[in-house]
């Protein structure tokens, strides 16, 4: 018992006792963390590396299999309206987007756990879930880009087509990417329009974080929450929508790319959250983390009461 050490005379105490206990506690937390989440972190890391390798080395099968129509001297066709926009550098680059998708959930989860005095395991599960949602979404959207793809709005400016003969089709005006004379790296990028990876991963991170905030602060529950908590809940969703706005403003994607990316991100966020927690919207259990070693034994009344007494009181909620 810790209290037994406090009543001993100062001369009989071991000077390094407190330090040793702290080291032992730290080692115990590290061991528990490794047992609980070690395999998950390794798996996520491998999936992330595979996704980057696919994006870098696998040819754009879907984009390179497509045809576009080239009508010399005609600049008002529907296809020119869709693919003839000027090329602009992205407002938010890939690495900035990745940093925001990981950094913002990490910041929110850290602050929430500090305010509610949550345990290290609870914090680690939240961070792991958020990163898992982003990386799984990244993996899926890269596969779709590679196998489906499509032309970006600035396709013609990036491609700079110079056909050396008639094309294919009924009127011989349809061509593939092989007639392009532009920069090859930009051409590869311009063949990967669908879906928007920026929007997909932003919604995966934002929706997961909003579900986490709901589970932590019980936004959807049997009482009225403070408006500040509602703002916290809506902030990640707003940031995800703003990401879609930035992608639309710099004409990196079509509207259907953005909508498709949002749907994909939302779906993966829900799937990921449910794979880490007992429920999604049930306020009695959606804060309880699942374990890989044993099944969850449902105790709704006890779990909900214990959670309200332990966590919600730090926010002075009714």
């Amino acid at each position: 018992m810790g209290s037994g050490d406090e009543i001993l005379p100062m001369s009989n105490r071991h000077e390094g006792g407190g330090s040793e206990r702290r080291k032992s506690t730290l080692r115990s937390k590290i061991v528990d963390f490794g047992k609980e989440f070690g395999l998950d972190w390794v798996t996520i890391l491998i999936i992330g590396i595979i996704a980057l390798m696919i994006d870098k080395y696998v040819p754009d099968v879907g984009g390179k299999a497509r045809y576009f129509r080239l009508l010399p001297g005609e600049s008002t066709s529907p296809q020119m309206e869709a693919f003839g926009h000027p090329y602009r550098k992205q407002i938010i680059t890939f690495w900035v987007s990745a940093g925001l998708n990981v950094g913002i959930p990490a910041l929110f989860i850290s602050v929430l756990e500090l305010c509610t005095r949550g345990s290290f395991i609870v914090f680690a599960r939240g961070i792991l879930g958020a990163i898992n949602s982003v990386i799984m979404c990244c993996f899926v959207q890269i596969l779709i880009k590679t196998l489906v793809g499509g032309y970006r709005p600035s396709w013609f400016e990036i491609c700079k087509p110079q056909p050396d003969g008639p094309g294919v089709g009924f009127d011989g005006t349809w061509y593939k990417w092989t007639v392009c004379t532009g920069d090859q790296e930009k051409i590869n990028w311009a063949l990967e329009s669908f879906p928007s990876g920026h929007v997909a991963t932003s919604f995966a991170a934002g929706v997961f974080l909003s579900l986490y905030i709901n589970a932590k602060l019980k936004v959807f529950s049997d009482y009225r929450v403070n408006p500040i908590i509602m703002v916290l809940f809506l902030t990640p969703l707003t940031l995800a929508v703003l990401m879609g706005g930035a992608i639309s403003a710099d004409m990196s994607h079509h509207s259907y790319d953005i909508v498709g990316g949002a749907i994909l991100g939302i779906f993966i966020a829900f799937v990921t959250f449910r794979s880490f927690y007992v429920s999604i919207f049930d306020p009695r259990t959606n804060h309880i983390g699942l374990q890989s070693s044993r099944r969850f034994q449902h105790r709704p009344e006890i779990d909900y009461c214990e959670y309200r007494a332990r966590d919600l009181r730090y926010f002075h909620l009714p």
Side-chain angles (χ1 to χ4, degrees):
M1 298 290 292
S3 60
D5 184 62
E6 295 176 0
I7 62 176
L8 291 176
M10 290 295 295
S11 59
N12 291 337
R13 293 186 183 182
H14 298 288
E15 294 182 359
S19 176
E20 289 297 326
R21 282 196 299 273
R22 284 192 295 271
K23 291 181 179 179
S24 176
T25 302
L26 179 60
R27 284 195 296 269
S28 176
K29 288 183 176 180
I30 293 175
V31 170
D32 291 342
F33 174 80
K35 289 180 179 179
E36 184 74 19
F37 305 116
L39 182 60
D40 295 88
W41 278 107
V42 172
T43 305
I44 289 175
L45 179 61
I46 293 173
I47 292 174
I49 293 173
I50 292 174
L52 291 176
M53 297 292 284
I54 292 174
D55 185 50
K56 187 173 180 62
Y57 296 110
V58 176
D60 302 305
V61 178
K64 291 184 176 180
R66 293 173 179 268
Y67 288 90
F68 64 93
R69 197 176 191 187
L70 187 61
L71 298 173
E74 185 172 335
S75 59
T76 59
S77 66
Q79 186 167 238
M80 187 62 69
E81 289 290 332
F83 306 129
H85 292 269
Y87 169 72
R88 293 179 57 187
K89 289 186 178 180
Q90 290 183 311
I91 297 174
I92 301 177
T93 64
F94 170 81
W95 291 111
V96 171
S97 173
L100 292 174
N101 291 335
V102 173
I104 291 176
L107 175 63
F108 271 72
I109 293 172
S110 300
V111 172
L112 283 174
E113 292 304 325
L114 287 174
C115 291
T116 58
R117 303 180 188 179
S119 68
F120 177 73
I121 292 297
V122 173
F123 165 78
R125 181 181 290 110
I127 295 293
L128 176 64
I131 294 177
N132 186 84
S133 181
V134 172
I135 291 183
M136 290 301 296
C137 185
C138 184
F139 176 76
V140 174
Q141 64 92 10
I142 284 176
L143 280 180
I144 298 175
K145 278 181 179 290
T146 302
L147 298 177
V148 179
Y151 301 124
R152 293 184 186 265
S154 55
W155 166 250
F156 281 116
E157 182 175 343
I158 292 174
C159 173
K160 297 180 174 61
Q162 294 291 336
D164 55 2
V168 298
F170 174 74
D171 54 1
T173 59
W174 293 88
Y175 299 88
K176 283 190 174 182
W177 68 277
T178 50
V179 301
C180 296
T181 60
D183 181 77
Q184 187 59 52
E185 185 175 348
K186 287 184 178 180
I187 290 172
N188 292 337
W189 175 81
L191 289 168
E192 299 177 333
S193 187
F194 183 85
S196 170
H198 282 63
V199 174
T201 52
S202 294
F203 270 87
V207 172
F208 182 93
L209 180 55
S210 289
L211 293 175
Y212 182 88
I213 292 172
N214 170 57
K216 195 72 176 174
L217 304 182
K218 307 304 177 186
V219 179
F220 302 130
S221 188
D222 56 355
Y223 60 89
R224 180 175 56 83
V225 299
N226 189 288
I228 295 177
I229 294 178
M230 187 63 70
V231 170
L232 287 175
F233 173 78
L234 292 174
T235 296
L237 301 177
T238 304
L239 294 175
V241 173
L242 289 176
M243 177 65 77
I247 292 299
S248 176
D250 63 24
M251 294 307 300
S252 296
H253 288 281
H254 304 280
S255 58
Y256 51 82
D257 300 332
I258 296 173
V259 173
I263 294 173
L264 176 63
I266 292 171
F267 175 76
I268 290 182
F270 272 84
V271 171
T272 304
F273 189 88
R274 183 58 184 83
S275 71
F276 276 79
Y277 296 92
V278 173
S279 64
I280 296 177
F281 290 112
D282 189 342
R284 298 169 299 176
T285 57
N286 60 0
H287 61 279
I288 303 174
L290 292 170
Q291 296 182 356
S292 59
S293 57
R294 63 176 183 270
R295 296 178 63 184
F296 171 71
Q297 300 298 320
H298 188 62
R299 300 182 305 146
E301 294 81 7
I302 297 176
D303 291 327
Y304 186 40
C305 293
E306 285 181 353
Y307 185 79
R308 286 180 61 87
R310 178 170 54 85
D311 288 321
L312 296 184
R313 60 191 176 88
Y314 295 112
F315 284 86
H316 307 289
L317 297 179

